[in-house]
């Protein structure tokens, strides 16, 4: 999440559009005469965009005139976006560095290896330039740092390894990026030029696809790409707040994924492995979208036998020392796998849902566990929870004929501790049905969403900026498109629901793990799927209703309530949502309730 500085005076639609239109005309003939080596052509096209970006950043670093600085930034940003599809794929870490939010970056490997870095790059520059009192020295500093990083990338380019499947992954990643972060305003925090930037990146896809035109066996398929890209570009227009993101994803993103799969067949591509998104996915909101192994330390299949055994163990009270509690004690299926309490018994925090819990990269509210298996062991060992251990449970059931047979069926082996935790984790990973009313509608399985629910999704992913932390389609903090990190945020959750005399809750969150001062009150961004069933809300259960949650965000979080927190990641400005808009967002959130969340999706 980023700080949003609203400056109505600075609207650069005209300049962006002018640059985009002229570039679109040029690109149609730019690569008709290509090198024999397509990878060399791709590298040259990409390199040219980096060189142009660098040149404008260089001019920006030397500018002391605000209008000139604004123009240099817009030009640099334009060419950076033209390079984005390739850069984000071939060098995701540098892309992330160059396009990071304007918030402090803290990396904690362990207590002895903590790195704290101030952000830099395009989002920082945008917020530094488009403000009433620009600091030209600071702007120059960030422009130089950004330029140097780009120069390093350009100097070390080597595309010799690129194969057709890399190109196809690159194309798909950008289609997904545009839908999940591009049109949400994630990386255009001030200008909100997300729609025009979406046009730019789609035009870049056409440029890069043209280089590999010879890969197409079916010429009509190549023409279909041209038509699809032209359609997407034509629809990425209008006002940021009123843009219909729901319609765009249905009629463009998902159709593009279908076209992409046809191209995979036409190119006769075989992928060497599967990334976070399954290689045959045609929807972003389906139980077939995600590769579960990407989110797991276990590179194996989720079998019905493992899930069935894990479900039995999930309800097994013998796992606890008291023989009276099980996983289901705090994670009740009928309550969205929560317990309905503000603070769960025996712990100090609210019980989070386990639905879609397998599709994240961090566990517990403070991200202290890196896997479901690790979380399970921690709960079982915790003296305030199970106060037990897997070895004791293994000994207790090793002569049980039903368990002996179940473990043999699931793992083709005898009962072992590792299998116990993996079986429970497998059951939890299966709890991702993607069969809510919203999912069924965006996948064209039914047509039952009302105007309020659609407006709510568009507000959630637009004006309200919810989706810049709760990223679709998981609606948690796991960041697209690589899905390698589950973010934590400091939003300033109050101790009580008192907006007049608000004070920060005493739970220090992530800070308690490594005692990093910059991580006080940071908590993981959990999913809002099935949120209608999982109240009360926040890590301390302070809010009893979704209306209370939305009012908190609408005021600007803790900062909006007067709680002074230096590193709050939630924009402190009021969202200025109307009561109708709040109700629309709530209607959308309720549409994320799965029809039968107990149905395991294998």
């Amino acid at each position: 999440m980023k700080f949003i500085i609203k400056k109505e005076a600075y609207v650069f639609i005209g300049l962006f559009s002018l640059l985009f239109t002229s570039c679109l005309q040029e690109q149609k003939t730019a690569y008709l005469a290509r090198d024999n080596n397509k990878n060399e052509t791709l590298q040259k096209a990409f390199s040219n965009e980096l060189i142009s970006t660098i040149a404008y950043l260089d001019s920006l670093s030397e500018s002391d005139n605000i209008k000139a600085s604004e123009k240099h930034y817009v030009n640099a940003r334009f060419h950076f976006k033209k390079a984005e599809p390739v850069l984000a794929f071939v060098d995701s870490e540098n892309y992330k560095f160059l396009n990071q939010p304007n918030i402090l970056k803290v990396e904690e490997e362990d207590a002895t290896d903590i790195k704290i870095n101030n952000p830099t790059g395009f989002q920082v520059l945008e917020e530094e330039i488009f403000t009433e009192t620009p600091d030209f020295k600071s702007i120059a500093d960030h422009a130089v740092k950004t330029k140097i990083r780009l120069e390093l990338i350009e100097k070390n380019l080597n595309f010799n390894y690129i194969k057709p499947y890399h190109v196809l992954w690159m194309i798909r990643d950008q289609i997904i990026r545009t839908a999940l972060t591009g049109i949400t305003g994630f990386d255009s925090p001030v200008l909100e030029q997300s729609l025009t930037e979406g046009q730019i990146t789609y035009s870049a896809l056409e440029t890069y696809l043209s280089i590999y035109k010879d890969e197409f066996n079916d010429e009509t398929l190549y023409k279909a790409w041209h038509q699809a890209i032209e359609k997407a570009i034509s629809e990425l227009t209008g006002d940021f707040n009123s843009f219909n993101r729901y319609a765009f994803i249905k009629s463009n993103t998902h159709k593009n994924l279908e076209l992409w799969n046809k191209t995979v067949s036409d190119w006769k591509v075989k992928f060497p492995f599967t990334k976070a998104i399954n290689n045959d996915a045609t929807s972003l909101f389906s139980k077939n979208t995600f590769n579960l192994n990407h989110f797991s330390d276990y590179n194996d299949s989720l079998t019905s036998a493992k899930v069935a055994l894990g479900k039995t163990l999930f309800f097994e009270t013998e796992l606890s020392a008291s023989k009276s509690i099980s996983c289901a004690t705090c994670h009740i299926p009928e309550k969205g796998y929560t317990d309905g309490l503000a603070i769960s018994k025996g712990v100090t925090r609210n019980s989070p849902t386990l639905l879609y819990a397998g599709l994240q990269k961090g566990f517990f509210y403070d991200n202290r566990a890196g896997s479901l298996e690790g979380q399970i062991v921690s709960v079982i060992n915790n003296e305030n929870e199970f106060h037990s251990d897997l070895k004791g449970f293994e000994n207790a059931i090793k002569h049980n004929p039903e368990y002996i047979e179940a473990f043999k069926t699931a793992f083709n082996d005898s009962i072992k501790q590792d299998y116990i935790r993996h079986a429970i984790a497998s059951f939890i990973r299966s709890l991702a049905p993607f069969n809510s009313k919203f999912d069924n509608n965006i996948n064209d399985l039914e047509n039952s969403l009302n105007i309020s629910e659609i407006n709510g999704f568009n507000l959630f992913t637009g004006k309200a900026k919810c989706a810049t932390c709760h990223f679709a389609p998981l609606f948690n903090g796991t960041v697209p498109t690589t899905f390698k990190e589950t973010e934590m945020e400091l939003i300033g959750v109050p101790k009580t629901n008192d907006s007049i005399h608000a004070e920060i809750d005493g739970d220090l969150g992530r800070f308690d793990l490594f005692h990093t001062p910059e991580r006080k009150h940071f908590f993981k961004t959990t999913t809002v799927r099935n949120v209608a069933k999982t109240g009360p809300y926040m890590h301390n259960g302070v809010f009893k209703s979704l209306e209370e949650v939305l009012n908190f965000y609408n005021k600007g979080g803790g900062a909006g309530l007067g709680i002074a927190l230096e590193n709050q990641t939630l924009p402190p400005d009021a969202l200025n949502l109307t009561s109708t808009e709040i109700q629309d967002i709530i209607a959308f959130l309720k549409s994320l309730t799965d029809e039968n969340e107990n149905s395991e999706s294998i």
Side-chain angles (χ1 to χ4, degrees):
M1 183 64 99
K2 301 149 292 300
F3 287 99
I4 300 168
I5 305 171
K6 294 185 178 292
K7 291 295 296 171
E8 299 292 335
Y10 297 110
V11 180
F12 280 77
I13 295 175
L15 183 52
F16 266 112
S17 297
L18 180 62
L19 284 166
F20 168 70
T21 303
S22 62
C23 181
L24 187 59
Q25 294 302 318
E26 292 172 5
Q27 76 169 39
K28 291 180 179 178
T29 57
Y31 298 102
L32 292 179
R34 293 188 294 270
D35 295 341
N36 291 329
N37 188 324
K38 287 172 281 191
N39 289 355
E40 286 183 8
T41 307
L42 176 66
Q43 183 169 321
K44 285 182 180 179
F46 175 61
S47 178
N48 286 340
E49 299 300 343
L50 294 188
I51 291 169
S52 295
T53 308
I54 290 164
Y56 283 114
L57 287 170
D58 191 46
S59 297
L60 175 59
S61 69
E62 297 176 354
S63 174
D64 59 0
N65 176 277
I66 187 59
K67 291 300 180 183
S69 296
E70 291 167 354
K71 186 176 180 179
H72 294 320
Y73 171 81
V74 168
N75 279 291
R77 178 71 174 175
F78 174 85
H79 288 285
F80 176 75
K81 277 291 175 178
K82 287 285 289 182
E84 180 179 87
V86 178
L87 177 59
F89 179 78
V90 302
D91 198 344
S92 62
E93 288 305 311
N94 269 322
Y95 169 75
K96 184 178 177 182
F97 172 88
L98 292 162
N99 202 36
Q100 63 185 299
N102 188 15
I103 57 177
L104 203 65
K105 180 67 176 177
V106 180
E107 299 177 8
E108 301 169 302
E109 293 298 328
D110 55 52
T112 63
D113 187 12
I114 298 174
K115 299 182 180 68
I116 300 173
N117 298 306
N118 289 311
T120 194
F122 281 96
Q123 292 193 50
V124 178
L125 280 168
E126 188 168 311
E127 293 188 11
E128 292 254 339
I129 295 168
F130 296 93
T131 183
E132 292 180 355
T133 56
D135 181 341
F136 289 104
K137 184 178 183 302
S138 180
I139 291 169
D141 180 57
H142 287 294
V144 169
K145 288 179 180 177
T146 306
K147 181 189 74 168
I148 289 173
R149 185 62 66 100
L150 284 165
E151 287 173 336
L152 183 65
I153 295 169
E154 201 280 329
K155 180 180 179 181
N156 291 283
L157 289 178
N158 182 352
F159 283 16
N160 291 337
Y161 71 93
I162 295 291
K163 298 184 183 302
Y165 70 81
H166 291 120
V167 177
L168 289 179
W169 269 340
M170 178 192 78
I171 298 294
R172 187 182 70 165
D173 280 359
Q174 187 58 49
I175 291 167
I176 294 171
R177 184 178 300 107
T178 300
L180 301 185
T181 59
I183 59 178
T184 67
F186 176 76
D187 60 351
S188 184
V190 184
L191 295 177
E192 293 185 341
Q193 292 301 302
S194 302
L195 303 186
T196 302
E197 290 187 355
Q199 292 180 321
I200 294 168
T201 55
Y202 259 98
S203 74
L205 291 185
E206 185 159 33
T207 299
Y208 298 132
L209 262 176
S210 73
I211 296 171
Y212 293 85
K213 182 179 179 180
D214 292 345
E215 295 291 337
F216 285 89
N217 296 296
D218 183 353
E219 187 176 347
T220 61
L221 193 59
Y222 178 73
K223 291 179 179 178
W225 270 112
H226 173 75
Q227 293 169 354
I229 290 171
E230 292 290 312
K231 179 178 180 294
I233 290 171
S234 70
E235 294 183 14
L236 283 163
T237 57
D239 175 67
F240 175 83
N241 287 339
S242 61
F243 182 66
N244 192 335
R245 293 161 178 83
Y246 174 78
F248 182 83
I249 291 172
K250 282 191 71 171
S251 65
N252 290 281
T253 307
H254 285 173
K255 298 300 181 183
N256 295 162
L257 291 177
E258 292 175 7
L259 188 58
W260 186 85
N261 273 275
K262 291 178 182 178
T263 307
V264 170
S265 298
D266 181 68
W267 287 19
K268 296 180 173 56
V269 161
K270 299 296 182 183
F271 295 102
F273 58 90
T274 305
K275 299 170 65 178
I277 304 291
N278 282 320
N279 289 321
D280 60 353
T282 55
S283 165
L284 297 177
F285 297 83
S286 166
K287 67 180 182 180
N288 298 318
T289 300
F290 288 98
N291 167 30
L292 287 174
N293 284 332
H294 171 81
F295 300 89
S296 169
D297 293 335
Y298 287 79
N299 189 24
D300 61 1
S301 59
L302 190 71
T303 66
S304 57
K306 289 179 186 176
V307 171
L309 173 58
K311 186 173 184 178
T312 300
L313 293 169
F314 187 85
F315 291 92
E316 178 59 78
T317 57
E318 288 291 323
L319 274 170
S320 64
S322 66
K323 313 299 182 186
S324 63
I325 62 173
S326 68
C327 302
T329 302
C330 294
H331 300 283
I332 304 167
E334 293 74 23
K335 294 185 177 181
Y337 287 86
T338 67
D339 58 12
L341 302 174
I343 302 296
S344 292
K345 296 177 180 178
V347 295
T348 59
R349 293 172 182 158
N350 179 264
S351 175
T353 181
L354 294 184
L355 293 165
Y356 302 90
L359 297 171
Q360 54 187 349
K361 284 291 191 176
F363 300 87
F364 292 111
Y365 276 109
D366 53 15
N367 266 1
R368 66 181 181 271
S371 68
L372 271 174
E373 282 80 2
Q375 182 179 31
I376 289 164
V377 171
S378 181
V379 169
I380 290 173
N381 291 344
N382 191 326
E383 63 181 19
N384 293 319
E385 296 182 84
F386 280 40
H387 197 194
S388 182
D389 61 76
L390 289 174
K391 183 62 178 177
F393 180 67
E394 176 189 339
N395 291 333
I397 66 171
K398 66 181 181 181
H399 298 300
N400 184 313
E402 292 182 1
Y403 272 125
I404 291 172
E405 184 60 30
F407 276 89
K408 183 178 180 181
T409 301
F411 296 101
N412 196 30
D413 204 346
S414 59
I415 299 170
K416 294 179 180 178
Q417 296 179 53
D418 185 55
Y419 297 153
I420 295 170
R421 62 179 183 174
H422 183 45
I424 298 173
S426 295
F427 169 65
I428 296 172
R429 290 190 180 100
S430 77
L431 299 174
F434 286 96
N435 62 11
S436 69
K437 179 181 180 181
F438 179 83
D439 296 317
N440 291 339
N441 276 265
I442 204 165
N443 289 327
D444 276 329
L445 298 176
E446 58 184 82
N447 185 24
S448 58
L449 279 183
N450 59 42
I451 296 298
S452 177
E453 291 164 331
I454 293 174
N455 287 345
F457 173 76
N458 290 329
L459 286 161
F460 187 95
T461 53
K463 177 182 176 180
K465 300 292 171 66
C466 309
T468 60
C469 284
H470 294 275
F471 303 100
L474 299 173
F475 299 105
N476 64 15
T478 309
V479 187
T481 58
T482 58
F483 299 94
K484 291 179 178 179
E485 176 188 10
T486 298
E487 291 185 335
M488 294 180 293
E489 306 284 348
L490 168 52
I491 62 175
V493 176
K495 183 178 182 179
T496 63
N497 189 13
D498 181 354
S499 60
I500 305 300
H501 305 97
E503 59 178 298
I504 191 70
D505 183 74
D507 192 334
L508 295 177
R510 177 73 175 186
F511 172 82
D512 288 334
L513 193 60
F514 296 125
H515 300 290
T516 307
E518 292 81 2
R519 276 293 180 257
K520 285 184 178 179
H521 306 292
F522 271 76
F523 295 91
K524 181 182 68 177
T525 303
T526 56
T527 185
V528 295
R529 281 182 169 273
N530 295 286
V531 72
K533 287 188 173 185
T534 60
Y537 306 103
M538 305 299 179
H539 67 273
N540 59 355
V542 66
F543 299 130
K544 304 300 187 290
S545 68
L546 291 174
E547 284 81 2
E548 291 178 3
V549 174
L550 265 295
N551 285 331
F552 168 75
Y553 282 113
N554 198 28
K555 292 173 181 176
L561 297 178
I563 300 173
L565 298 167
E566 182 179 357
N567 296 310
Q568 177 169 310
T569 57
L570 187 72
D573 300 327
L575 292 171
N576 296 315
L577 297 170
T578 67
S579 58
T580 298
E581 288 174 331
I582 288 175
Q583 289 305 313
D584 285 348
I585 294 173
I586 291 173
F588 157 66
L589 291 172
K590 290 181 177 178
S591 79
L592 288 175
T593 303
D594 287 308
E595 292 182 353
N596 183 3
E597 65 270 22
N598 297 322
S599 298
E600 296 84 28
S601 58
I602 302 175

